[in-house]
Each structure stands twice: as C-alpha cells, then as structure tokens.
Amino acid sequence: MTLCFKVVIPARYASTRLPGKPLLNIAGKPMIAHVCEKAQQSGAEEVVVATDDERIMQTVSDLGIRTIMTRPDHQSGTERIAEVAELCGWSGDDIIVNVQGDEPLILPEIIQELAAVLADQQQSGIATMAAKISDFEEIFNPNAVKVVLNKDGYALYFSRAPIPWDRDGFAQEDRRGSGKMAYYRHIGMYAYTVDFLKRYCQWEPSVLETVESLEQLRILWQGEAIKVKVVDKAPAAGVDTAEDLLRVEESILCNRTT
C-alpha cells in the first residue's frame, strides 16, 4: 500500500531573536527554501507553506511551491495547519506532517517515517517522536521535554520535569538514578489526520498545558492518544540563534563537498 501524506510548513516572519528567520540566507538560499526541498524529497504528495507574511509568501511562491496566507491570530502552528487543511479541502483521513520552517537540516526520511507511524496504527489521530536521553543532566533540564510511554508506545504524559521520578535513585547523593528504566526526550515533530486537527481546534487550552507550557498536554487532557515513535537519534536542531545559523550553514556546505 502506497503511503500518502502531505507536508505543511508553518513559517512566521516574527522572531524575537532572529527577525525574518525563514528568509535568512543559508549557503546562498533562504532558509525556507532548504526546508521546502527536504519536504519535497520526503515523498509527500503535496508540500504547502503556511505563513502570515507577504514577504515569505512571495519568496516561497517564486520557488514554485504552494503558499497559503493564514490568519495572524493563531496561538500555535497546529492551529495554522488546521486552517490550511480547511482551505485546501483535504479529507478527514488525510495525513499531514508538520515540518517547522526553521529546520533546514531535517532529514526527508524522518518526515516519511513519522507519516508511516501514524498510518500504521488505528488508536490515534496524531503521532510524534522521542529519543532516548543519554546525557543524564538533560533529565533535569526544563528545556528538554520528557515523555513517558505505555507498553504500546503511546504517551502517558509529557513534562519539563524529570519523569518518571526515580524515588530511590534520585535520593542518592549523586542523583544518578537506579538505571531501572530509560528516559526519553520528546522531539517536537507531529503527524496528524485532518479529522484530529478539526477536533483539536474545538478544545480550549487545558490547565496542564498552561502550567507546563506544552500544547500537546491539551490532547492528553481530552483523553486522546498520542502515538510516539522512539528513534535512535534526534534530528539536527533547528535555527533559533545567530550561532545556530552559522552551525547549519557549515553543515550544509560541508555536505556539498563530501
């Protein structure tokens, strides 16, 4: 059976640390162009950029890629993608992979793999990824979102706190843990069905979501399942700072010469 899915790339111009981030030059092309190329290489039947800025829309249109101007009042990229699905008239069981517009190093095979994870199960309308934490200090880093899974690979909870709490292991002086189980860091990539997106947009933010500042907790609050694929290695980090921009450009230029 052929895997059919679409990719939507939310791309906003506003950025506190890097204004106009999607249009910043990386190795001779705007960042958004690199992301679009990776999305096209994933095997997606359609790639759409969702933006609220005319400059981004014009740049992407010049690349020959479909662009949709979305409302500026969305609270999350998920809501922006839901608007795109509605405007495009996609079917309820269509699968959409959310690829962030600031991830020019995203691997095409990762995009396809996430779509396949969602397509290969029936319990959930959303799938995401996680990777095993190898750096012990990362367990206690609130910027690293942890996820606990059930026996079938569905999320029990996401948190910025170290979960599960190793009562005996963390009570030791070095807090190194007992080693009884693995810890997983959530990777913020999602695949959804259109029907799921419609439901999501009807839900109010939950208390858990507000306290932890994690929008995926709205889904668990509503009693819906989230399928989590554990991968061997997290995808390369996106661009948030000027230092990230240099790191990504160096990686792209290095790959061109090898």
Side-chain angles (χ1 to χ4, degrees):
M1 181 176 175
T2 302
L3 175 64
C4 296
F5 66 97
K6 308 173 192 300
V7 170
V8 177
I9 306 171
R12 296 176 60 249
Y13 190 87
S15 172
T16 304
R17 286 179 285 187
L18 285 176
K21 185 163 59 172
L23 301 183
L24 294 178
N25 186 289
I26 299 179
K29 291 186 288 191
M31 184 189 307
I32 191 66
H34 291 281
V35 180
C36 289
E37 287 175 3
K38 295 297 179 63
Q40 290 176 315
Q41 294 165 10
S42 72
E45 57 184 348
E46 192 169 356
V47 175
V48 179
V49 172
T51 187
D52 58 2
D53 187 90
E54 291 283 355
R55 290 160 290 190
I56 295 175
M57 185 172 189
Q58 185 60 56
T59 297
V60 175
S61 296
D62 289 345
L63 296 172
I65 295 170
R66 187 177 184 184
T67 315
I68 291 181
M69 184 68 72
T70 55
R71 301 196 314 271
D73 59 344
H74 290 303
Q75 299 300 307
S76 68
T78 304
E79 294 178 2
R80 197 175 304 281
I81 290 171
E83 183 186 357
V84 170
E86 181 180 4
L87 292 172
C88 291
W90 291 336
S91 300
D93 58 354
D94 282 345
I95 292 174
I96 303 171
V97 179
N98 176 355
V99 176
Q100 296 301 316
D102 60 1
E103 296 189 1
L105 296 181
I106 187 70
L107 296 175
E109 53 266 34
I110 288 289
I111 300 172
Q112 185 179 89
E113 183 177 11
L114 185 55
V117 169
L118 184 57
D120 289 344
Q121 55 81 59
Q122 301 296 323
Q123 296 182 42
S124 177
I126 177 172
T128 188
M129 290 183 163
K132 187 176 180 180
I133 294 176
S134 56
D135 179 0
F136 182 78
E137 296 302 320
E138 192 173 24
I139 296 173
F140 296 91
N141 181 356
N143 294 317
V145 178
K146 275 68 66 175
V147 58
V148 175
L149 311 177
N150 70 11
K151 65 181 181 65
D152 297 317
Y154 291 85
L156 289 172
Y157 192 66
F158 298 84
S159 181
R160 298 183 183 278
I163 56 171
W165 182 261
D166 188 341
R167 187 193 66 173
D168 296 331
F170 291 164
Q172 300 172 13
E173 186 175 347
D174 61 4
R175 300 180 79 184
R176 298 301 296 180
S178 64
K180 291 180 179 178
M181 66 178 304
Y183 284 76
Y184 296 97
R185 178 170 183 164
H186 178 226
I187 299 168
M189 283 185 64
Y190 296 97
Y192 330 82
T193 64
V194 172
D195 277 341
F196 169 83
L197 289 171
K198 291 177 180 177
R199 294 195 301 276
Y200 180 90
C201 290
Q202 295 173 355
W203 301 330
E204 293 294 328
S206 70
V207 175
L208 289 177
E209 171 187 2
T210 303
V211 169
E212 293 252 26
S213 190
L214 297 173
E215 68 170 308
Q216 62 268 41
L217 291 176
R218 187 185 312 186
I219 302 163
L220 298 183
W221 179 269
Q222 293 291 334
E224 297 235 2
I226 301 176
K227 179 65 176 178
V228 182
K229 168 69 173 180
V230 175
V231 295
D232 294 333
K233 184 180 178 181
V239 176
D240 287 318
T241 66
E243 291 75 18
D244 291 337
L245 197 67
L246 293 174
R247 167 182 56 81
V248 168
E249 182 166 58
E250 182 179 344
S251 176
I252 290 174
L253 291 175
C254 181
N255 287 336
R256 286 180 181 175
T257 60
T258 57

